[in-house]
């Protein structure tokens, strides 16, 4: 079925061509004043320097793992692993490049042409990332399936692709997360709380690092995360299709030859999704003159509807039963529902509740915020359970993998909307630092506030898809183990939860996300502490800096350096643990224990991800609600606001470092297990 | 084997007789000055009034559930359920009665006779609770096995006993937890933070409610919790012994008749444990003149060693293989290890780290404390996994249940040490309120600080035993389902974690602890808010109160009333959810999904319990470390101290309300499933 691979490759390349044109159009935009360009250059240099240094470290890691896979599993899997790592790194690079160009041009558009133009520029910046993720995923998997085909062995090989993407993703997310929050927390603690100067004030030496952080954390990190889910869902679906009983979901009876319908479905769905996304992105040129929130929602919904129509037509005309469509539909709808639940908890009555609780001080702010975070897990867990129920009823384990594809097929547009947020945020920072005045700031603030909501929805998507992808990969792992055992004449494994090995695996798996959470939180705490010391030192030692003397320049490079070093140093241990944990447990305790471990890690990882992301988002917006005067009797600078700032600061590493790390962690552990399956199946 | 039941009954009664004598001796102690007695009476009245009102509500609940069990399952199970509820309530009642007598007498002993005497009185107060728990457990199970015997049906019946104990425990823990923290958080926020008066200052109208709270939360709530683990472990072991293949752990081959050795082992171990505990309690009369920490540790270790020797001798001389002893030993040792890990995280370098982080404000205090909480889960999860591994290798699922008995067999002494803490705390409060001067306060403060450590260790024990008991009950559930299916000619169920039903159960189960956590945190937040308003009102409206006028009396009864009402109102929903959730899932989705639910709830419940209890304890002690001047450059009242107070306040509902509620929740869900097993086994 090489023509499906060819189409994937073709549409993927078309996607990259579109990316290129969007990028060129973006580059031609005005960069505003000289001051603006100078700041933007500083941010751009910092971000690229970090990415470069991170990738250099990762090259070593990739080489070591590739050698191990080469000799331990197979040459082909090793190659696929390297290609996966490369594609993920490229997606991050393209996204960052565009984002750091778009931020200043958004500010300039806001200054010169108003809100609609600014929205358009910021969105195009995000679209480079969104479309790159989808296009590179299709190119990578299209090329690999073209070479290796679609059989069971090929499925095993392309799992290496997903593992490569996962590995880069974990380091990018953890490193980026530590970077951004060390800078953010550190500069807020000294700047906003101690010195009483506003956010993004150019006197604050940490402010450039903070803006760089938005790019390395929220753009590159997020992109790598979603790339991984996107690819992981397809790999899991192909792996399951390669070993399942095809009769289950085909109208043709007893026709083993028709397995190809199933094997190619994941790529076909993603092709339809990318085309739909490109139409959605193009639609923004029409929508952007509407209210920005409606414009973003409109283009997202347009792409989703087009994707569903396309998917339905394809399935209906093929030999696949119609029920399979409902598994996909459940994924698409479930993603939107989780997004809405996330929006409710981070932008609605729960936020007001936290804001009111701030009146009795930071302690009650934290207690209520944490309670909101706990509560916010309930809806998404129910939705994920519902998706699994529908998908499994309709198409068995294959359905679960398809649901995850359904959730992410229009990643081209959802990622664009998501990456738009940090660009608007940066644009605001640049306006403030270049003193463009309140008019411009008002536009960028409006776009930024909307960006917070889209980011929250994006996070909901990321978590939901991570959970589904992890479960799909986990199912693929179970099937891969059984396939090896079947070939060796052994009975399939039973991962019964009353088996002590499975229980031990469950407990050990549940432990890993906690450990990674503890490590990343501590890293942010430590790095933020160093940042605080450095900023305090500069305020103390550079004469006239705090007073606002024109000639007193803060040493921003030093702060960038602190964040960079801390992030690179602290990202290694979590990454290594995530790769080693499933390997050690699988090797020492066998495939049942490893299965238990994946289930435990997925459950506790999803819980931590939801809890931390949502409470963090809610704290952030509770602070903003007080700042905007939405809470009667409270205002910026008052006691309640100070309490809310504490909550916001606690929420920073929650929502931008540790929480998102969980998404990748659970996928990475599952994919490592899937790659290892042939080695441990008979233990 | 009726003589084992008889011995259990006999030793249980002997335990109650010892309790009676300890209580009488306690009552004869001096109550100090008239002012002290007056305060003590107020605390006593408040505590008893709360217990009375709570029990009245629970009578309704017990009657409804008993009727449902009567008609839905069996008359006998229903009776056992009522007996279990009664025993749990009685244990709580005895413990509270003694604790509220011991607090003032501890203060008086500190005043008149010094530290050793005070320690002795406080410990005896705790011993009433500790020995009551063990004695009532043995009496209840002894009586039931005497009547119904030890076969499979009897095992099903006595699971009702455990469910009765669980139900009361959940309400007592949740109600007590909300009560104590509403009072504590509320009076601290206004008293310590706003008005700047010390803790336990008699001017603070919330201070009596705070002291009542220590009794209803930390004594009655904790007692019901541990009673439940103690009973649950035995019930699970008997249930597993009734359906397992006995050859696995017996030296005799093919001897079905010798199953009795296994069926009676749980009660025999608990009898040995109670005797060992009584010796340990008696040993305190010798130890109490040593350093208090050593005294408490000495008596605990003495009892543990005696228990292990007794258990080894019994097993060695019976037909049971020696390996079974190692399962028990793993439990005993594991309990101590978890206690030590808990102590490390709540009283050692991690606490210093949090204290230092307080220098940069409340946000970094919270971030570091939360990270410590996450990290503190790692050790206990590894230990629990290790216990399961040893226990299962030696004696299969039976071993897991025995390990949980091994951890709790000496509950008589571990509970005594644990209940001693809140008594010492109350004694400190009474000394402060009756102005007994710094000398006395120094003694009670010393005992109180030690009480915090023993409480932390006790919490570690409670969580560890809850996890093991829940897993043991879960195993018993699986066996009970299979037994019913076997009788009906059906194949055993396979709860494979790649089965979609099991995965859905896992997700839904993982959700329940989060929901209960959110509900209880919110309840504390709301009730504390009401308390804050009331205390502020009194300070404003009662002339001379804050100034310290002798004639200005705070209206403490009103604060007691607020806590009582809030606790009673807010405890209902979590309790009902915990009972209904397994019922609904079992009924609608069958036994596999319910199995998944139990596994998910246990994992997420244990994680939340560890995270919340340990971070709460660490925040508390970080604040104390600053107060004691252990952190260079920081002192009480400084900025770092204020930040640490925020952490401590956040930690209050973490460690004393939501965290402990998880222990009971996971046991209750498992026991409900075990009771339901016959009804849903064939769905």
């Amino acid at each position: 079925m090489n023509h499906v691979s060819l189409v994937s490759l073709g549409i993927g390349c078309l996607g990259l061509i579109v990316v290129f044109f969007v990028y060129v159009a973006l580059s031609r935009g005005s960069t505003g004043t000289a001051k603006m360009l100078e700041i933007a250059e500083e941010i751009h240099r910092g971000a690229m320097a970090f990415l470069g240094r991170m990738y250099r470290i990762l090259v070593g890691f990739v080489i070591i793992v590739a050698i191990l896979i080469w000799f331990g599993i197979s040459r082909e899997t090793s190659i696929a692993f390297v290609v996966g790592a490369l594609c993920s790194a490229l997606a991050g690079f393209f996204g960052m490049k565009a984002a750091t160009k778009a931020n200043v041009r958004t500010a300039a558009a806001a200054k010169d042409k108003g809100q609609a133009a600014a929205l358009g520029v910021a969105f195009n910046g995000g679209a480079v990332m969104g479309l790159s993720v989808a296009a590179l995923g299709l190119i990578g998997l299209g090329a690999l399936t073209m070479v290796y085909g679609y059989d069971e062995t090929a499925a095993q090989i392309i799992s290496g692709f997903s593992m490569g993407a996962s590995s880069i993703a974990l380091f990018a997310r953890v490193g980026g997360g530590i970077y951004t929050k060390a800078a953010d927390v550190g500069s807020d603690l000294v700047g906003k709380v101690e010195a009483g100067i506003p956010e993004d004030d150019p006197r604050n030496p940490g402010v450039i690092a903070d803006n760089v952080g938005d790019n390395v954390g929220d753009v590159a990190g997020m992109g790598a995360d979603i790339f991984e889910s996107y690819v992981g869902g397809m790999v899991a679906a192909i792996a399951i299709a390669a070993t399942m009983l095809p009769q289950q979901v085909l109208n043709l009876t007893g026709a083993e030859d028709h397995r190809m319908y199933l094997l190619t479905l994941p790529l076909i769905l993603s092709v339809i999704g990318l085309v739909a996304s490109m139409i959605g992105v193009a639609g923004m040129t029409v929508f952007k003159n509407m209210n920005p929130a409606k414009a973003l929602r409109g283009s997202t919904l347009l792409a989703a509807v087009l994707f569903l129509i396309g998917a339905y037509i394809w399935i209906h005309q093929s030999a696949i039963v119609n029920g399979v469509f409902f598994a996909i539909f459940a994924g698409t709808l479930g993603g939107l529902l989780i997004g809405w639940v996330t929006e409710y908890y981070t932008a609605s009555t729960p936020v007001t509740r936290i804001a009111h609780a701030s009146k009795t001080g930071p302690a009650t702010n934290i207690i209520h915020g944490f309670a909101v975070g706990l509560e916010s897990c309930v809806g998404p867990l129910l939705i994920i359970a519902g998706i699994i129920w529908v998908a499994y009823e309709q198409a068995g384990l294959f359905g679960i993998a398809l649901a995850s594809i359904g959730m992410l097929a229009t990643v081209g547009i959802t990622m664009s909307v998501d990456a738009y947020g940090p660009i608007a945020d940066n644009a605001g920072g640049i306006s403030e630092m270049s003193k463009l005045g309140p008019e411009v700031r008002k536009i960028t603030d409006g776009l930024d506030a909307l960006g917070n909501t889209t980011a929250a929805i994006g996070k909901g998507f990321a978590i939901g898809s991570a959970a589904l992808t992890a479960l799909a990969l986990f199912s693929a792992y179970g099937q891969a183990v059984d396939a090896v055992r079947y070939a060796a004449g052994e009975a399939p494994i039973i991962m019964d939860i009353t088996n002590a090995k499975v229980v031990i695996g469950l407990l050990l798996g549940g432990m890993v996300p906690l450990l990674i959470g503890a490590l990343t939180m501590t890293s942010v705490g430590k790095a933020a502490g160093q940042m605080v010391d450095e900023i305090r030192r500069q305020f103390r030692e550079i004469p006239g800096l705090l007073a606002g003397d024109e000639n007193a320049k803060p040493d921003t490079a030093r702060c960038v350096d602190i964040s960079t070093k801390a992030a690179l140093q602290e990202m290694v241990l979590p990454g290594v643990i995530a790769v080693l944990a499933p390997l050690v447990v699988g090797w020492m305790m066998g495939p049942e224990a490893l299965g238990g471990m994946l289930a435990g890690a997925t459950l506790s990882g999803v819980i931590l991800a939801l809890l931390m992301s949502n409470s963090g988002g809610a704290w952030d917006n509770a602070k903003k609600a007080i700042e905007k005067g939405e809470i009667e009797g409270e205002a910026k600078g008052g006691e309640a606001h100070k309490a809310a700032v504490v909550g916001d600061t606690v929420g920073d590493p929650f929502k931008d470092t540790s929480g998102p790390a969980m998404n990748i962690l659970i996928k990475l552990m599952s994919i490592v297990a899937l790659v290892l399956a042939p080695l441990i199946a008979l233990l």
Side-chain angles (χ1 to χ4, degrees), chain A:
Chain A
M1 220 60 164
N2 265 346
H3 61 259
V4 169
S5 303
L6 206 62
V7 170
S8 300
L9 255 178
I11 296 289
C13 291
L14 177 66
L16 278 194
I17 294 169
V18 172
V19 165
F20 178 75
F21 281 113
V22 172
Y23 183 76
V24 169
L26 189 68
S27 305
R28 291 204 182 128
S30 154
T31 54
T33 65
K35 176 80 188 159
M36 285 166 70
L37 189 60
E38 183 199 326
I39 295 165
E41 282 297 319
E42 226 178 324
I43 296 173
H44 177 77
R45 266 199 310 277
M48 285 301 157
F50 174 74
L51 214 61
R53 285 174 67 175
M54 179 172 75
Y55 285 163
R56 239 168 293 156
I57 292 177
L58 294 190
V59 165
F61 172 84
V62 167
I63 290 176
I64 293 171
V65 177
I67 291 174
L68 291 177
I69 296 179
W70 185 287
F71 293 104
I73 295 166
S74 84
R75 209 179 308 181
E76 293 82 3
T77 311
S78 172
I79 294 170
F81 172 80
V82 175
V83 176
L86 208 67
C87 285
S88 175
L90 267 183
F93 176 77
F94 289 165
M96 282 265 290
K97 197 89 195 162
T100 50
K101 285 211 176 257
N103 51 13
V104 61
R105 288 163 177 85
T106 302
K111 183 169 76 78
D112 302 333
K113 301 181 196 158
Q115 179 179 315
L119 173 66
V121 175
F123 181 81
N124 280 344
V128 168
M129 170 60 109
L131 294 177
S132 296
V133 163
L136 286 165
L138 280 177
I139 291 174
L141 283 178
L144 287 172
T145 50
M146 183 113 88
V147 177
Y148 300 115
Y150 286 89
D151 59 7
E152 219 180 297
T153 320
Q156 173 65 27
I157 293 168
I158 60 168
S159 66
F161 183 78
S162 182
M163 183 172 159
S166 262
S167 311
I168 297 296
L170 187 69
F171 288 108
R173 249 307 188 195
V174 171
I178 294 171
Y179 189 109
T180 177
K181 290 305 129 175
D184 191 2
V185 172
S187 26
D188 279 4
L189 280 178
V190 188
K192 283 208 297 205
V193 181
E194 287 181 14
I197 59 178
E199 192 160 349
D200 293 326
D201 190 289
R203 287 170 288 176
N204 193 330
V207 74
I208 293 290
D210 186 6
N211 280 286
V212 171
D214 290 342
N215 289 291
V216 302
D218 300 345
V219 179
M222 182 69 157
D225 182 353
I226 296 288
F227 181 75
E228 211 296 295
S229 278
Y230 182 66
V231 167
M234 284 192 273
V235 166
I238 295 173
I240 293 172
T243 48
M244 72 187 289
L245 292 172
Q247 296 85 314
Q248 204 181 345
V249 290
L250 287 176
N251 289 320
L252 307 162
T253 43
E256 177 65 22
D257 295 347
H258 295 284
R259 185 188 290 278
M260 262 303 158
Y261 280 111
L262 307 181
L263 284 165
T264 54
L265 185 60
L267 277 174
I268 290 168
L269 290 174
S270 298
V271 165
I272 299 172
L274 177 51
V275 173
S277 298
M278 289 193 279
I279 298 173
V281 169
M284 264 305 274
T285 47
V286 182
F287 292 139
K288 73 177 175 192
N289 296 311
M290 297 162 36
N291 159 324
K294 279 191 188 152
L296 293 179
R297 201 174 299 151
S299 57
T300 308
L301 277 181
L302 173 67
V305 169
L306 289 176
F307 162 70
L308 285 175
I309 293 173
Y312 182 78
I313 293 173
W314 174 263
I315 288 170
H316 191 69
Q317 63 77 44
S318 79
I320 300 169
V321 296
N322 283 343
V324 164
F325 171 75
F326 294 105
I328 298 163
F329 181 70
T332 311
L333 183 67
L336 294 172
L337 287 179
I338 293 177
W340 288 331
V341 171
T342 312
E343 192 182 352
Y344 169 76
Y345 279 105
T346 55
S348 186
T349 41
V351 170
T352 323
R353 225 195 308 158
I354 299 173
H356 279 289
S358 311
K359 291 180 189 173
T360 38
T364 38
N365 167 287
I366 302 281
I367 291 174
H368 277 273
F370 195 80
V372 165
L374 288 171
E375 193 185 313
S376 76
C377 302
V378 174
L381 286 173
L382 282 175
I383 295 168
I384 294 169
I387 296 172
I388 292 173
W389 182 68
V390 172
Y392 189 82
E393 285 291 309
Q394 297 296 337
L397 295 178
F398 189 50
I400 296 177
L402 289 181
S404 116
I405 294 179
M407 197 179 273
L408 283 183
T410 54
V411 71
I413 187 92
T414 45
M415 231 356 258
S416 304
V417 171
D418 193 62
Y420 141 91
I423 295 174
D425 189 359
N426 255 242
I430 293 173
S431 324
E432 179 77 26
M433 285 184 273
S434 337
K435 306 194 174 118
L436 297 186
E439 281 305 302
V440 177
R441 187 73 215 218
K442 204 180 149 197
I443 292 176
T444 57
D445 273 358
L447 295 180
D448 182 21
L450 174 61
N452 276 324
T453 304
T454 62
I457 297 176
K459 269 173 196 153
F461 252 95
I463 298 169
S465 66
L468 276 184
T469 304
L471 287 171
L473 288 168
F474 169 46
S475 307
Y477 158 77
Q479 286 212 353
V481 167
D482 282 347
V484 175
R485 294 178 67 88
Y486 180 78
E490 296 279 339
I493 54 157
I494 297 171
M495 296 188 268
D496 192 300
I497 34 171
T498 56
N499 176 341
K501 278 192 182 173
V502 177
V503 173
I504 293 173
L506 205 68
L507 292 171
L508 296 179
M511 189 199 78
V512 177
L514 303 168
L515 182 57
I516 303 293
L519 287 171
T520 47
M521 293 275 291
T522 311
S523 299
V524 170
K526 274 199 298 195
Q530 291 170 20
M531 190 67 84
V532 164
D533 291 341
E534 171 62 23
I535 298 176
R536 280 183 184 162
R537 186 194 66 77
Q538 293 198 21
F539 278 155
R540 202 172 51 232
E541 293 179 6
I542 300 177
L545 177 59
L546 203 50
D549 187 336
E550 281 288 312
N551 297 319
K553 285 236 175 285
D555 184 357
T556 55
R558 189 111 173 220
C559 291
V560 168
D561 197 51
I562 287 175
S563 259
T564 305
K565 274 196 185 131
L568 295 176
Q569 213 168 46
E570 305 277 337
M571 77 180 181
V572 176
L573 186 59
V576 171
I577 290 173
V579 176
L580 281 188
L583 197 133
V584 170
V585 167
W587 208 279
M588 290 180 55
M589 301 185 56
E592 292 97 344
L594 180 51
M597 174 172 233
L598 299 182
T602 304
L603 181 62
S604 93
V606 170
I607 289 173
L608 274 186
L610 288 166
L611 167 64
M612 298 181 100
S613 295
N614 294 345
S615 57
W619 274 315
D620 188 353
N621 283 331
K623 180 200 70 177
K624 292 210 170 96
I626 295 176
E627 287 174 355
K628 284 190 232 153
E630 289 168 9
I631 307 301
E632 219 191 298
E634 303 298 339
K636 196 165 176 170
E639 284 307 310
H641 181 249
K642 277 184 196 156
V645 168
V646 172
D648 177 40
T649 311
V650 171
D652 272 335
F654 268 50
K655 74 181 196 300
D656 292 321
T657 311
S658 305
M662 300 302 147
N663 300 339
I664 305 175
L665 176 67
I666 59 178
K667 288 177 283 179
L668 178 55
M669 287 174 71
S670 294
I671 192 76
V672 170
L674 179 58
V675 171
L676 285 178
L679 292 185
I680 61 161
L682 299 172
L683 290 182

